Amino acid sequence: MRPPKPMRPLWPPLFKRDIRVIRTRAHVQAEQDSRRQSRIPLSHHDIIALAEPFTRSGRQVDLAASDRLARRIQFKPTHHRAETDGATLLTEHLVLEHLGRRHFRLTRILTNAAGQQATLRGDGPEPGRLLVQIDRVPVARHVQRIGGATLVINYRIESDSNAPAEPSDTPHLVFLQATTTLDGLVMTFDAQVGHGMPAEIDLAPDPERSLDLPPDLFAVLGRAWRPLRRTAHGWRAPLRIASNEPARTPDLEAKLARTTEHLIDTFAHPPAHFHTTWRRERWFAFLREAIGLLLVIGLFLLGPALLLLDASEGSLIRLLSFVMPALLVLFLIARHESPVMRIPPRPEPLPADAW
């Protein structure tokens, strides 16, 4: 028997091959540059040349903490006072990494007295330009105080390396992650997700503390906040945010502040106060979840129900009965969330020992 013929491609082969070649060349060149540079340790003259703009700004190389083989230069720590209150002392560590040919990464690590760390990193072809961009970001942007809680926020600098740097230019920051501790509960905002995907709010209590948080703890704040789900280490809730920059980071910062204030106010009162204050919003959140579940079930049942109608071959109704499962899949993909196939619990008063 003859082997079956290969299937004909759905688009012109030359177009597909060109796109693959262009992408492969870019990735292979970057990987080769990174590997080639990583095999050559930094010499003493390399360190002096790379550290020259840092020396002019008053920073000194920490040779003991640097790694020549990994092409990483660490600078001695400096100290800052937070602009918000002037009393918070922050220790700054700068780390310069030579990742490839004309590819540097500069990371600023700020540590407060409690040991919390906030980072700011930037990538580019010129270490001096990266230092200027990082110095233009105030340290108070990383460490913020909201209602007595200290938030440490990690950012990444997004800039055009080909554009000329102006003395008054403020680099655009991309929100990555934020962490705070509230009365034995660690809350983490993780925005390092795919394009268009919701951010994640993680709650991890101390092992000594017993908590029984309601699923609608954050859902009462609006449609962007999704219900809590149990995890191995605590709870997790998706948070809908703007898809693209520059709207994404301000949206995250505003929702981070609102969520933190809400959590502080909630824990400041007994559990019964939560149900009394947010009774109407809890029912709205319940209806949103119930309507979403009913919509998914309805789309499942609509396809077979259309077949019960005496539709002729080739009719629109018969076509819809077959494409309904595909429409359901597209609907779930557009939501960027995994559906919860269960009836949400009715809003009821919380037990006295919920927190």
Side-chain angles (χ1 to χ4, degrees):
M1 297 179 61
R2 294 182 179 179
K5 294 182 179 181
M7 295 181 62
R8 186 177 180 180
L10 299 179
W11 48 78
L14 291 178
F15 179 76
K16 181 180 180 181
R17 183 164 57 250
D18 291 344
I19 294 296
R20 185 178 68 251
V21 169
I22 291 174
R23 291 180 177 177
T24 303
R25 285 176 181 173
H27 289 292
V28 169
Q29 184 65 32
E31 292 177 0
Q32 289 178 350
D33 290 344
S34 178
R35 292 172 181 173
R36 185 182 301 113
Q37 294 290 344
S38 61
R39 295 193 188 104
I40 306 175
L42 287 175
S43 65
H44 182 70
H45 296 286
D46 292 335
I47 295 177
I48 293 177
L50 294 175
E52 190 271 335
F54 298 86
T55 305
R56 283 191 280 108
S57 65
R59 294 174 171 89
Q60 300 177 358
V61 177
D62 189 349
L63 291 176
S66 301
D67 190 339
R68 296 190 179 188
L69 184 60
R71 304 185 67 83
R72 182 173 64 250
I73 303 175
Q74 184 164 328
F75 297 87
K76 293 183 178 181
T78 57
H79 302 283
H80 301 273
R81 293 282 182 182
E83 291 89 340
T84 52
D85 53 8
T88 303
L89 183 65
L90 302 175
T91 302
E92 176 196 85
H93 290 85
L94 281 181
V95 179
L96 178 65
E97 299 174 87
H98 195 182
L99 302 179
R101 182 180 300 175
R102 294 184 57 80
H103 182 193
F104 297 90
R105 173 174 295 169
L106 182 60
T107 305
R108 179 172 72 179
I109 305 173
L110 294 174
T111 308
N112 61 7
Q116 297 174 305
Q117 290 187 342
T119 63
L120 172 65
R121 63 178 175 87
D123 291 70
E126 302 176 10
R129 181 188 177 94
L130 294 176
L131 177 61
V132 172
Q133 291 177 335
I134 282 184
D135 283 341
R136 288 175 183 169
V137 180
V139 295
R141 185 77 181 267
H142 297 276
V143 183
Q144 301 179 11
R145 296 279 295 178
I146 298 180
T150 302
L151 283 83
V152 290
I153 309 175
N154 301 336
Y155 291 98
R156 173 178 61 85
I157 293 178
E158 186 177 75
S159 61
D160 185 5
S161 59
N162 297 322
E166 298 295 336
S168 60
D169 285 351
T170 300
H172 175 68
L173 301 183
V174 176
F175 188 107
L176 297 179
Q177 192 180 66
T179 306
T180 185
T181 302
L182 303 171
D183 194 14
L185 181 68
V186 179
M187 182 177 68
T188 303
F189 260 61
D190 189 4
Q192 302 177 87
V193 293
H195 174 74
M197 298 294 291
E200 294 180 347
I201 306 176
D202 286 329
L203 299 177
D206 289 342
E208 297 80 11
R209 186 176 186 188
S210 176
L211 291 176
D212 185 15
L213 301 180
D216 54 0
L217 177 64
F218 296 140
V220 297
L221 295 177
R223 296 178 60 88
W225 286 264
R226 309 302 298 158
L228 287 174
R229 300 181 186 179
R230 267 285 188 178
T231 63
H233 305 285
W235 294 267
R236 176 173 296 171
L239 175 65
R240 295 176 181 174
I241 56 176
S243 300
N244 302 313
E245 297 290 346
R248 182 174 176 273
T249 291
D251 185 32
L252 271 163
E253 292 174 337
K255 289 175 179 176
L256 170 64
R258 187 178 181 188
T259 304
T260 304
E261 293 172 352
H262 170 71
L263 202 57
I264 293 175
D265 181 72
T266 299
F267 287 163
H269 298 87
H273 183 265
F274 177 78
H275 181 73
T276 304
T277 306
W278 301 95
R279 185 193 305 268
R280 186 180 64 175
E281 288 78 6
R282 295 190 73 187
W283 278 105
F284 284 157
F286 170 80
L287 292 177
R288 285 197 301 267
E289 290 301 305
I291 291 175
L293 177 61
L294 293 177
L295 181 59
V296 173
I297 296 176
L299 289 176
F300 265 118
L301 299 179
L302 186 58
L306 291 176
L307 291 178
L308 297 178
L309 302 176
D310 293 333
S312 59
E313 291 290 341
S315 64
L316 180 61
I317 295 180
R318 183 171 290 273
L319 176 63
L320 287 176
S321 65
F322 288 104
V323 301
M324 197 58 64
L327 294 178
L328 174 61
V329 173
L330 292 177
F331 169 75
L332 296 178
I333 293 176
R335 284 170 56 90
H336 296 294
E337 298 177 22
S338 57
V340 181
M341 302 303 295
R342 63 177 178 83
I343 301 176
R346 296 177 67 255
E348 296 180 351
L350 305 181
D353 57 350
W355 54 76

